[in-house]
């Protein structure tokens, strides 16, 4: 890659002149994208698992589902940046359903979820106690306090 190539691409000369090093990059392969979505400390899969854990639900992605998510990113030519939008598209509906049902124990994203847009597999626990509503205590008015001390 030469500076002239960037000029032909449409970048202004003032910008091209400020680039100290110009390098070409290869597209990420399938294995690299799967690693990106699962392995780093702040990986997308880990982020969603943590969000689900806040509602006491375990989230699991089947290997085939992850492979299909990565394949969609490759097909769209969006690379690693496109992975988030693909996963959000898959998880959007279920993320709103889970907090309203305390009996959901586990959510499994399957290949059918990615390919056909079906709901993820939900595992329910009927024995789980329903969350009790928080009951606020009435505050004592100052008049009651004065009568008790008098």
């Amino acid at each position: 890659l030469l500076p002239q190539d960037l000029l032909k691409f449409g970048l202004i000369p003032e910008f091209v002149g400020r680039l100290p090093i110009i390098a070409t990059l290869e597209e990420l392969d399938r294995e690299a994208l799967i690693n990106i979505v699962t392995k780093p400390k702040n990986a997308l899969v880990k982020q969603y698992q943590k969000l689900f854990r806040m509602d006491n639900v375990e989230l699991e992605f089947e290997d085939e589902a992850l492979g299909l998510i990565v394949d969609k990113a490759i097909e769209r030519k969006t690379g690693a940046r496109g992975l988030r939008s693909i996963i959000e598209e898959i998880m959007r509906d279920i993320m709103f359903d889970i907090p309203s049902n305390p009996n959901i124990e586990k959510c499994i994203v399957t290949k059918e979820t990615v390919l056909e847009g079906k709901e993820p597999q939900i595992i329910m626990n009927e024995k789980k106690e329903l969350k009790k509503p928080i009951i606020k205590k009435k505050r004592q008015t100052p008049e009651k306090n004065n009568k008790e001390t008098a």
Side-chain angles (χ1 to χ4, degrees):
L1 184 68
L2 299 172
Q4 292 83 359
D5 298 329
L6 295 175
L7 293 171
K8 285 181 187 176
F9 185 69
L11 296 176
I12 59 174
E14 291 82 7
F15 180 71
V16 174
R18 294 182 183 269
L19 297 174
I21 299 172
I22 299 174
T24 58
L25 301 174
E26 293 180 19
E27 287 187 31
L28 295 169
D29 63 349
R30 190 171 194 268
E31 186 178 325
L33 287 170
I34 289 174
N35 286 338
I36 288 170
V37 83
T38 57
K39 299 228 172 144
K41 181 180 177 184
N42 203 19
L44 288 171
V45 169
K46 291 179 182 178
Q47 289 178 22
Y48 277 96
Q49 287 172 337
K50 188 170 184 173
L51 285 171
F52 276 60
R53 230 177 286 125
M54 289 179 186
D55 292 317
N56 297 319
V57 176
E58 183 182 343
L59 175 64
E60 183 180 306
F61 284 84
E62 288 183 347
D63 291 338
E64 290 176 338
L66 285 173
L68 290 169
I69 290 169
V70 165
D71 290 342
K72 276 189 174 186
I74 292 170
E75 180 183 313
R76 294 180 184 178
K77 297 188 179 197
T78 55
R81 295 194 181 270
L83 292 170
R84 177 175 294 281
S85 65
I86 294 167
I87 293 176
E88 282 179 4
E89 185 180 309
I90 293 166
M91 303 301 294
R92 186 179 310 123
D93 293 335
I94 195 66
M95 284 187 67
F96 289 106
D97 294 340
I98 283 186
S100 63
N101 189 345
N103 291 333
I104 296 176
E105 187 175 281
K106 189 173 188 178
C107 175
I108 303 171
V109 177
T110 63
K111 68 177 183 178
E112 289 81 18
T113 306
V114 179
L115 277 179
E116 301 164 18
K118 290 185 177 180
E119 294 260 332
Q121 183 180 350
I122 302 293
I123 297 174
M124 304 289 274
N125 182 357
E126 299 300 329
K127 295 179 182 178
K128 213 180 222 185
E129 285 186 30
L130 294 176
K131 295 177 183 172
K132 296 180 183 176
I134 299 171
I135 301 172
K136 294 183 179 179
K137 293 182 180 180
K138 290 184 179 180
R139 292 177 45 194
Q140 289 184 344
T141 58
E143 295 171 4
K144 288 183 182 179
N145 290 339
N146 291 340
K147 289 179 183 177
E148 290 174 7
T149 56

